[in-house]
Amino acid sequence: MVANKSSIFRFDDVEVREREFSLTKAGKVLTVEPKAFRALLFLLRNPQRLISKEELLNSVWGDAAVTEGSLTRCIWLLRSVLGDDIRSPRYIETVATVGYRFICKVEVSEETSGSLEPAGESTSPAGAVTSAEKKDESRKRPARWVLSGGVMLLVCLAAGIWYLSRPLPPPRVTGYTQLTHDGVSKTLVGTDGTRLYFTEYDPPAIFQSAISGGGLAPIPVTVPGAGGPVLVDVSSDGSTLLVAPEVKGYGLLGGELALWSARVLGGPARRMGDVVTDDAAFSPDSKFVAFSGDGGIWLVRSDGAGAHKLATVEGDISRFAWSPDGATIRFTKDDSIWEMSASGSNPHQLFPGGHGSMRQCCGHWTPDGKFFLFQAQPKALFDEGSEIWALDERRSPFRTPRTEPVQLTSGPIRWGW
């Protein structure tokens, strides 16, 4: 008889059994990745003690070369399974740059089991193993392997589905960086990923700067009209600008803008056919421009030819945003954000539910298409500035995107486009 000892840990409504490699919360067995489970065991054996990242890495991975990112992912998985919150932890506390501490009270008990180790094969009363018994055992052995393999396959499949469908953490703002310091008001219009493009007023002029900040570089553009040029949009590769003469009293939006196309590297601006609009935006491949006008939304080739109406949408329409794959166009209509397909079908309000009291505007996708960012503010606080919101659109075969946006900022900065 050989005795094996293992521990059972209990905290809150959670029970962790070392031998069974199992975690039960509120009576429900939860799936945990092996590395994350070993990290949890080490924390439970050392409650209330600060465990350094190096010590925890060595206990889980031994001599294997892994980065701190693997440990961070294990802790994140544990928090997800336990329902813990990094900002207000009940179980696992993060000590910045040092390590982790299990802060909940832990009860530990030992579990002992015995197993018989036979000295040889079992025999018949006469002391000999019969051939029939040997054949019967040989038939049972493959069946047991098939059964064990099937169980392991189901467990792995369930763990994989859980991992692919688990809720992902929402986005959050971790810091702010001021890029310009000249005290001059600017309207940010676009970026090609390395540079920012914006308009300054009094007098109107178009500038660019690196996304890391630094000096401003003017972009000389001349368009006919009473006012100077204002920037309407920039192509995704940063080579071409949509510009219009300033309409006095309106700034960038409002009024009827005669649309022009201009190369960033210089050359004369080119009139975009007969397009007169309140706002416009390049498609992701820069081959087309969506614009508002004449009771709806229109599309024109980037050379100004082939203008045709996509959809009839009444109201004040502006701030177009194309999805990175070019399949969807979103825009601001009056005080809400709408969307439709790039072919013009099915125009509808993006948030038709409980956001009617919010004034929404000026959305843009992140380049990877995972998040849609926009401004919003209560209609009753029109002069108090907007906050930045995000709609999580991360997708997978087992994950449904969120339908409600999350608020990223809460003052004191007044946010614009």
Side-chain angles (χ1 to χ4, degrees), residues 91 183 249 267-268 273 296 314:
Y91 306 126
E314 299 293 339

Side-chain angles (χ1 to χ4, degrees), residues 330-333 335-339 347-365 371-376 379 389-393 401-407:
R330 288 179 181 164
F331 53 92
T332 301
K333 177 185 178 300
D335 291 329
S336 60
I337 293 178
W338 284 52
E339 73 173 4
H348 61 276
Q349 192 173 350
L350 185 58
F351 307 115
H355 294 270
S357 62
M358 301 293 288
R359 189 185 306 273
Q360 306 155 11
C361 179
C362 317
H364 275 290
W365 268 279
F371 299 97
F372 182 76
L373 309 178
F374 63 96
Q375 293 174 236
K379 291 181 179 179
W389 291 64
L391 179 63
D392 189 343
E393 300 193 272
R402 299 175 186 266
T403 58
E404 293 295 319
V406 296
Q407 186 171 344

Side-chain angles (χ1 to χ4, degrees), residues 189-190 196-198 206-208 218-221 223 229-244 259-266 269-270 272 282 289 302:
V189 174
L196 301 172
Y197 300 86
F198 48 87
I206 300 173
F207 290 85
Q208 63 175 320
I219 301 177
V221 177
V223 294
V230 295
L231 185 57
V232 179
D233 194 28
V234 57
S235 62
S236 59
D237 61 2
S239 65
T240 309
L241 308 177
L242 290 179
V243 297
L259 202 59
W260 295 71
S261 173
R263 305 289 292 181
V264 172
L265 297 180
R270 185 181 71 252
M272 293 285 291
F282 279 112
V289 173
S302 56

